[in-house]
């Protein structure tokens, strides 16, 4: 059974960076792509970016360009998202989601990132 | 104008049917897109329900009951999520999504379905 396990909650000060991990199991990690999405408290879903697990090619949302880097580590079946220059309105639950044929069919449990000023 | 617009709330009684709409911005033709639908309950990640482009190009999430189905209202430039025989456990937030280009996705603001 395919699963994505994310790292624990983070509390950061404005201006700092955060790195969230997403460990895959139960499927062939290199054959998939992953998207990262976020959800601010009480708000809807926002796409942050996408990465191909095997090639490491990533595409980022316009508003995150220059602040986000997504990577994968094939030996450990883990994807990472680093967000820099954090602002209070980056406070959100960050999700990784497996993308297969454009379907987000498996989601991580989410990682709450709290940014205080 | 938002790319995808959803009504913020909808109420329905158990056993009845509901139609959740996802209206595309006027310059985006619903006929060209596959619409994806997700269900999210409090404290949980979204769950993929289904995708719908046409009756010949659609998909159902693993374990998702057939009473959840997709459709389109071309005249309204909207995607539809149809829920028949509503159960109390269908109370949740529902989000629509499209792949706006080949590598980025856009979500609607979500509809909160209340089962009375």
């Amino acid at each position: 059974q395919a699963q994505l396990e994310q790292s624990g909650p983070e509390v950061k000060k404005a201006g700092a960076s955060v790195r969230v991990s997403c460990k895959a199991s139960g499927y062939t990690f290199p054959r998939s792509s992953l998207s990262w999405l976020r959800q601010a408290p009480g708000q809807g879903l926002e796409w942050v970016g996408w990465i191909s697990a095997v090639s490491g090619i990533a595409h980022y949302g316009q508003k995150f360009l220059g602040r986000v880097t997504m990577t994968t580590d094939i030996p450990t079946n883990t994807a990472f998202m680093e967000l820099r220059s954090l602002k209070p309105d980056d406070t959100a639950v960050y999700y990784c989601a497996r993308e297969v044929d454009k379907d987000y069919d498996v989601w991580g449990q989410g990682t709450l990132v709290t940014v205080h000023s | 104008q938002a790319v995808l617009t959803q009504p913020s709330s909808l109420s329905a009684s158990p056993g009845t049917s509901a139609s959740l709409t996802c209206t595309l911005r006027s310059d985006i033709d619903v006929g060209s897109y596959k619409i994806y639908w997700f269900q999210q309950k409090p404290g949980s990640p979204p769950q993929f329900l289904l995708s719908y482009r046409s009756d010949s190009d659609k998909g159902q999430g693993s374990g998702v009951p057939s009473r959840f189905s997709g459709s389109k209202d071309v005249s309204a430039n909207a995607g539809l999520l149809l829920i028949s025989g509503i159960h109390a456990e269908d109370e949740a937030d529902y989000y629509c999504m499209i792949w706006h280009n080949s590598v980025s996705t856009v979500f609607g603001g979500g509809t909160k379905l209340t089962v009375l």
Side-chain angles (χ1 to χ4, degrees):
Chain A
Q1 180 183 0
Q3 289 185 320
L4 297 171
E5 184 72 24
Q6 297 184 224
S7 49
E10 302 268 7
V11 179
K12 297 291 182 180
K13 190 172 182 179
S17 299
V18 68
R19 191 187 196 211
V20 180
S21 67
C22 172
K23 184 174 177 59
S25 62
Y27 71 97
T28 305
F29 180 65
R31 291 185 183 173
S32 69
S33 301
L34 283 173
S35 280
W36 288 89
L37 307 103
R38 73 179 187 180
Q39 188 170 35
Q43 302 300 310
L45 295 160
E46 181 177 30
W47 183 78
V48 179
W50 168 97
I51 185 166
S52 165
V54 64
S55 70
I57 294 173
H59 296 274
Y60 306 129
Q62 187 74 23
K63 70 183 290 185
F64 302 102
L65 287 176
R67 287 208 299 141
V68 69
T69 301
M70 296 176 185
T71 57
T72 58
D73 182 64
I74 299 297
T76 61
N77 289 347
T78 304
F80 300 92
M81 182 204 66
E82 181 185 43
L83 189 61
R84 301 177 292 278
S85 301
L86 289 167
K87 300 170 281 189
D89 63 2
D90 289 319
T91 293
V93 176
Y94 287 76
Y95 294 103
C96 57
R98 183 178 77 163
E99 182 250 307
V100 175
D101 294 332
K102 302 299 188 185
D103 294 341
Y104 289 149
D105 67 335
V106 179
W107 292 65
Q109 81 277 21
T111 297
L112 176 61
V113 176
T114 303
V115 183
H116 62 90
S117 56
Chain B
Q1 185 183 5
V3 174
L4 302 176
T5 301
Q6 298 181 251
S8 58
S9 62
L10 183 68
S11 298
S13 299
T16 65
S17 297
S19 177
L20 283 68
T21 61
C22 175
T23 303
L24 279 65
R25 196 175 62 199
S26 58
D27 62 327
I28 303 172
D29 178 16
V30 68
S32 300
Y33 287 87
K34 178 175 280 190
I35 312 294
Y36 298 80
W37 289 94
F38 298 85
Q39 178 193 67
Q40 186 179 33
K41 296 183 178 180
S44 295
Q47 177 192 359
F48 171 64
L49 288 175
L50 57 90
S51 60
Y52 185 90
R53 185 193 301 273
S54 66
D55 285 345
S56 59
D57 185 4
K58 60 183 180 180
Q60 199 83 354
S62 176
V64 176
S66 59
R67 57 194 185 81
F68 290 88
S69 63
S71 184
K72 287 181 179 178
D73 182 345
V74 175
S75 64
N77 203 37
L80 304 175
L81 173 66
L82 310 171
I83 311 174
S84 61
I86 287 175
H87 297 178
E89 60 262 31
D90 297 336
E91 184 163 292
D93 294 327
Y94 292 84
Y95 293 93
C96 61
M97 183 197 86
I98 62 170
W99 283 83
H100 194 42
N101 51 44
S102 61
V103 293
S104 68
T105 59
V106 177
F107 289 86
T111 296
K112 181 177 181 60
L113 176 66
T114 300
V115 180
L116 301 170

